[in-house]
């Protein structure tokens, strides 16, 4: 798809292109692949949460009180929950990729099990992390 | 006898990035290496954050200033910013077609990752050494 628009040739003379995503029926592996990239970008921005928290802790009382109040508020908790789920989804996606990079798990049953397994794993790990945060 | 490179790739093809690249696996390796390192470090990070959940300033400072916690946090931050800079680089390379915008985005990516890394490490070191 990348070079198609730059070709000087009329469309009937261009070389055939591989089909793009609209052509395919959605599959679990496609969804988790997109999730992996989306959560990666979200976590990239989310590092600012850690930066702000660490700076406030290093800075002092007023800044830390403000940051603690924000993270404790409803919107802060929702953001932190989203960050946790994105992190767990990305970690489980990384494990899925580790299996695939070892050239295993490409059969239809196995690849769908890996895709669904990484989603379920992320839900379970997120629940564990938040249960731990409330119990500790 | 020409060098092997010039047999498989004409100079023009080399300039146009056609043919055998003979390099470029560094990015894949960096992603693999950092994700391998980040697996245990992320578990440690989540446990530390869970312990910080209800902490007031004094207990947060005490926890983050403890040597093992500080070392784990610094390792997590460094591996993370390296990993995310490499990941974002491939996102930028995939989606930004305009050459100058792509170069600007790559520079911004480097600066963001380096900035986040430096600020976080600075804050953790300050918590460790200045109470």
């Amino acid at each position: 798809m990348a070079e198609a628009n730059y070709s000087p040739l009329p469309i009937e003379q261009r070389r055939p292109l591989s089909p793009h995503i609209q052509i395919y029926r959605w599959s679990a592996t496609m969804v988790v692949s997109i999730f992996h990239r989306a959560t990666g970008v979200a976590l990239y921005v989310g590092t600012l949460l850690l930066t702000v928290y660490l700076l406030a802790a290093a800075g002092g009382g007023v800044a830390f009180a403000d940051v603690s109040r924000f993270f404790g508020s409803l919107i802060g908790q929702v953001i932190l929950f989203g960050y946790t789920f994105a992190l767990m989804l990305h970690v489980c996606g990384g494990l899925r990729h580790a299996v695939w990079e070892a050239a295993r798990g490409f059969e239809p049953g196995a690849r769908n099990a890996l895709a669904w397994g990484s989603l379920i794993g992320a839900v379970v790990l997120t629940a564990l992390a938040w249960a731990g945060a409330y119990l500790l | 006898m020409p060098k092997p490179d010039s047999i498989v790739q004409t100079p023009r093809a080399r300039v146009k990035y056609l043919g055998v690249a003979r390099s470029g696996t560094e990015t894949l390796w960096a992603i693999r290496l950092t994700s391998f390192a980040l697996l245990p470090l992320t578990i440690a990070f989540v446990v530390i954050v869970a312990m910080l959940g209800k902490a007031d300033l004094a207990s947060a400072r005490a926890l983050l200033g403890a040597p093992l916690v500080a070392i784990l946090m610094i390792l997590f931050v460094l591996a993370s910013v390296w990993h995310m800079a490499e990941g974002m680089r491939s996102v930028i390379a995939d989606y930004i077609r305009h050459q100058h915008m792509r170069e600007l985005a790559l520079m911004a990516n480097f600066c963001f990752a380096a900035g986040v890394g430096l600020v976080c490490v600075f804050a953790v070191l300050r918590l460790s050494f200045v109470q």
Side-chain angles (χ1 to χ4, degrees), chain A residues 24-95:
Chain A
Y24 295 102
R25 186 164 50 86
W26 281 90
S27 65
T29 47
M30 285 163 74
V31 175
V32 289
S33 173
I34 291 166
F35 277 4
H36 196 66
R37 179 159 275 198
T39 51
V41 173
L43 292 166
Y44 183 97
V45 181
T47 53
L48 289 174
L49 300 172
L50 176 64
T51 310
V52 166
Y53 182 84
L54 288 176
L55 271 183
V62 182
F64 189 81
D66 287 344
V67 168
S68 292
R69 199 177 318 112
F70 173 70
F71 281 138
S73 69
L74 180 64
I75 184 133
Q77 292 280 293
V78 169
I79 290 172
L80 282 180
F81 188 84
Y83 178 87
T84 316
F85 185 59
L87 183 65
M88 296 313 178
L89 207 51
H90 204 76
V91 166
C92 291
L95 290 171

Side-chain angles (χ1 to χ4, degrees), chain B residues 1-22:
Chain B
M1 191 61 191
K3 286 192 293 183
D5 282 9
S6 59
I7 295 173
V8 296
Q9 205 177 22
T10 64
R12 182 167 188 270
R14 171 170 292 271
V15 170
K16 295 195 78 178
Y17 297 106
L18 299 171
V20 185
R22 288 180 188 278

Side-chain angles (χ1 to χ4, degrees), chain B residues 53-129:
Chain B
K54 288 175 232 157
D56 60 2
L57 182 57
S59 46
R61 278 186 166 172
L63 180 66
L64 289 168
L68 179 64
V69 174
I71 288 167
L72 286 171
M73 285 297 283
I74 290 171
L75 284 175
F76 173 76
V77 166
L78 292 179
S80 293
V81 295
W82 186 8
H83 184 86
M84 78 187 201
E86 293 286 357
M88 186 57 80
R89 199 152 63 111
S90 62
V91 173
I92 290 168
D94 280 354
Y95 298 139
I96 304 185
R97 285 189 189 173
H98 190 280
Q99 186 191 344
H100 294 163
M101 293 307 291
R102 187 167 60 238
E103 286 166 358
L104 267 178
L106 289 170
M107 286 191 279
N109 175 39
F110 178 87
C111 293
F112 180 82
V116 165
L118 269 171
V119 170
C120 286
V121 169
F122 170 81
V124 173
L125 289 178
R126 194 171 194 279
L127 284 160
S128 295
F129 297 116

